[in-house]
CSV table of all heavy atoms in Angstrom, one decimal:
chain,number,residue,atom,x,y,z
J,68,THR,N,117.2,110.2,93.7
J,68,THR,CA,116.9,109.0,92.8
J,68,THR,C,115.7,109.4,91.9
J,68,THR,O,114.7,109.8,92.4
J,68,THR,CB,116.7,107.7,93.6
J,68,THR,OG1,117.8,107.5,94.5
J,68,THR,CG2,116.5,106.6,92.6
J,69,LEU,N,115.8,109.0,90.7
J,69,LEU,CA,114.8,109.3,89.7
J,69,LEU,C,114.2,107.9,89.3
J,69,LEU,O,114.8,107.0,89.0
J,69,LEU,CB,115.4,110.0,88.5
J,69,LEU,CG,114.5,110.9,87.7
J,69,LEU,CD1,114.0,112.1,88.5
J,69,LEU,CD2,115.3,111.4,86.5
J,70,ALA,N,112.9,107.9,89.3
J,70,ALA,CA,112.1,106.7,88.8
J,70,ALA,C,111.2,107.2,87.7
J,70,ALA,O,110.3,108.1,87.8
J,70,ALA,CB,111.3,106.0,89.9
J,71,ILE,N,111.4,106.6,86.5
J,71,ILE,CA,110.6,107.0,85.3
J,71,ILE,C,109.8,105.9,84.8
J,71,ILE,O,110.1,104.7,84.8
J,71,ILE,CB,111.6,107.4,84.2
J,71,ILE,CG1,112.6,108.5,84.6
J,71,ILE,CG2,110.8,107.8,83.0
J,71,ILE,CD1,113.7,108.8,83.7
J,72,GLU,N,108.6,106.2,84.4
J,72,GLU,CA,107.6,105.2,83.8
J,72,GLU,C,108.1,105.0,82.4
J,72,GLU,O,108.2,105.9,81.6
J,72,GLU,CB,106.2,105.7,83.9
J,72,GLU,CG,105.2,104.6,83.4
J,72,GLU,CD,103.8,105.1,83.5
J,72,GLU,OE1,103.4,106.1,82.7
J,72,GLU,OE2,103.1,104.5,84.3
J,73,GLU,N,108.3,103.7,82.1
J,73,GLU,CA,108.7,103.4,80.7
J,73,GLU,C,107.5,103.7,79.8
J,73,GLU,O,106.4,103.7,80.2
J,73,GLU,CB,108.9,101.9,80.5
J,73,GLU,CG,110.2,101.4,81.3
J,73,GLU,CD,110.4,99.9,81.2
J,73,GLU,OE1,109.5,99.2,80.8
J,73,GLU,OE2,111.4,99.5,81.7
J,74,PRO,N,107.9,104.1,78.6
J,74,PRO,CA,106.8,104.5,77.7
J,74,PRO,C,105.9,103.5,77.2
J,74,PRO,O,106.3,102.3,77.2
J,74,PRO,CB,107.6,105.1,76.4
J,74,PRO,CG,108.9,104.4,76.5
J,74,PRO,CD,109.1,104.1,77.9
J,75,LEU,N,104.6,103.8,77.0
J,75,LEU,CA,103.7,102.9,76.5
J,75,LEU,C,103.8,102.8,75.0
J,75,LEU,O,104.0,104.0,74.4
J,75,LEU,CB,102.3,103.2,76.9
J,75,LEU,CG,102.0,103.3,78.4
J,75,LEU,CD1,100.6,103.8,78.6
J,75,LEU,CD2,102.0,101.9,78.9
J,76,TYR,N,103.7,101.8,74.3
J,76,TYR,CA,103.7,101.8,72.9
J,76,TYR,C,102.3,101.7,72.4
J,76,TYR,O,101.6,100.6,72.5
J,76,TYR,CB,104.7,100.7,72.4
J,76,TYR,CG,106.0,101.0,72.7
J,76,TYR,CD1,106.7,100.4,73.8
J,76,TYR,CD2,106.7,102.0,72.0
J,76,TYR,CE1,108.0,100.8,74.2
J,76,TYR,CE2,108.0,102.4,72.4
J,76,TYR,CZ,108.7,101.7,73.5
J,76,TYR,OH,109.9,102.1,73.9
J,77,LEU,N,101.9,102.7,71.7
J,77,LEU,CA,100.4,102.9,71.3
J,77,LEU,C,100.3,102.6,69.9
J,77,LEU,O,101.3,102.5,69.1
J,77,LEU,CB,99.9,104.2,71.7
J,77,LEU,CG,100.2,104.7,73.2
J,77,LEU,CD1,100.0,106.2,73.3
J,77,LEU,CD2,99.4,103.9,74.1
J,78,ASN,N,99.1,102.6,69.4
J,78,ASN,CA,98.8,102.4,68.0
J,78,ASN,C,99.4,103.6,67.2
J,78,ASN,O,99.7,103.5,66.0
J,78,ASN,CB,97.4,102.2,67.7
J,78,ASN,CG,96.9,100.9,68.1
J,78,ASN,OD1,97.7,100.0,68.3
J,78,ASN,ND2,95.6,100.8,68.4
J,79,ASN,N,99.4,104.8,67.8
J,79,ASN,CA,99.9,106.0,67.1
J,79,ASN,C,101.4,106.0,67.3
J,79,ASN,O,101.9,106.4,68.4
J,79,ASN,CB,99.2,107.2,67.7
J,79,ASN,CG,99.6,108.5,67.0
J,79,ASN,OD1,100.7,108.6,66.5
J,79,ASN,ND2,98.8,109.5,67.0
J,80,ILE,N,102.1,105.7,66.2
J,80,ILE,CA,103.6,105.6,66.3
J,80,ILE,C,104.2,106.9,66.6
J,80,ILE,O,105.2,107.0,67.3
J,80,ILE,CB,104.1,105.0,65.0
J,80,ILE,CG1,105.6,104.5,65.2
J,80,ILE,CG2,104.0,106.0,63.8
J,80,ILE,CD1,105.7,103.2,65.9
J,81,LYS,N,103.7,108.0,66.2
J,81,LYS,CA,104.3,109.3,66.5
J,81,LYS,C,104.2,109.6,68.0
J,81,LYS,O,105.2,110.1,68.6
J,81,LYS,CB,103.6,110.5,65.7
J,81,LYS,CG,104.0,110.5,64.2
J,81,LYS,CD,103.4,111.7,63.5
J,81,LYS,CE,104.0,111.9,62.2
J,81,LYS,NZ,103.6,113.1,61.6
J,82,VAL,N,103.1,109.3,68.6
J,82,VAL,CA,102.9,109.5,70.0
J,82,VAL,C,103.9,108.6,70.7
J,82,VAL,O,104.6,109.0,71.7
J,82,VAL,CB,101.5,109.3,70.5
J,82,VAL,CG1,101.4,109.4,72.0
J,82,VAL,CG2,100.6,110.4,69.9
J,83,SER,N,104.0,107.4,70.3
J,83,SER,CA,104.9,106.4,71.0
J,83,SER,C,106.4,106.9,71.0
J,83,SER,O,107.1,106.8,71.9
J,83,SER,CB,104.8,105.1,70.3
J,83,SER,OG,103.5,104.5,70.6
J,84,PHE,N,106.8,107.3,69.7
J,84,PHE,CA,108.1,108.0,69.6
J,84,PHE,C,108.4,109.1,70.5
J,84,PHE,O,109.4,109.3,71.1
J,84,PHE,CB,108.5,108.3,68.2
J,84,PHE,CG,108.8,107.1,67.3
J,84,PHE,CD1,108.5,107.1,65.9
J,84,PHE,CD2,109.4,106.0,67.8
J,84,PHE,CE1,108.8,106.0,65.1
J,84,PHE,CE2,109.6,104.8,67.1
J,84,PHE,CZ,109.4,104.9,65.7
J,85,ALA,N,107.4,110.0,70.6
J,85,ALA,CA,107.4,111.2,71.4
J,85,ALA,C,107.6,110.8,72.9
J,85,ALA,O,108.4,111.4,73.6
J,85,ALA,CB,106.2,112.1,71.3
J,86,LEU,N,106.8,109.8,73.3
J,86,LEU,CA,107.0,109.4,74.8
J,86,LEU,C,108.3,108.8,75.0
J,86,LEU,O,109.0,109.1,76.0
J,86,LEU,CB,105.9,108.3,75.0
J,86,LEU,CG,104.4,108.8,75.1
J,86,LEU,CD1,103.5,107.7,75.2
J,86,LEU,CD2,104.2,109.9,76.1
J,87,ASP,N,108.8,108.0,74.1
J,87,ASP,CA,110.1,107.3,74.2
J,87,ASP,C,111.2,108.4,74.2
J,87,ASP,O,112.1,108.3,75.0
J,87,ASP,CB,110.3,106.4,73.0
J,87,ASP,CG,111.4,105.4,73.3
J,87,ASP,OD1,111.5,104.9,74.5
J,87,ASP,OD2,112.1,105.0,72.3
J,88,ARG,N,111.1,109.5,73.4
J,88,ARG,CA,112.1,110.5,73.5
J,88,ARG,C,112.1,111.3,74.9
J,88,ARG,O,113.1,111.6,75.4
J,88,ARG,CB,111.8,111.6,72.4
J,88,ARG,CG,112.6,111.3,71.1
J,88,ARG,CD,112.6,112.5,70.1
J,88,ARG,NE,111.5,112.6,69.3
J,88,ARG,CZ,111.0,111.8,68.4
J,88,ARG,NH1,111.5,110.6,68.4
J,88,ARG,NH2,110.0,112.0,67.7
J,89,SER,N,110.9,111.4,75.4
J,89,SER,CA,110.8,112.1,76.7
J,89,SER,C,111.5,111.3,77.8
J,89,SER,O,112.2,111.8,78.7
J,89,SER,CB,109.4,112.4,77.1
J,89,SER,OG,108.8,113.3,76.2
Side-chain angles (χ1 to χ4, degrees):
T68 304
L69 207 64
I71 304 169
E72 185 177 65
E73 291 176 354
L75 299 172
Y76 293 100
L77 310 168
N78 289 336
N79 184 331
I80 196 76
K81 283 188 172 188
V82 172
S83 294
F84 282 152
L86 294 173
D87 201 34
R88 267 195 278 302
S89 294

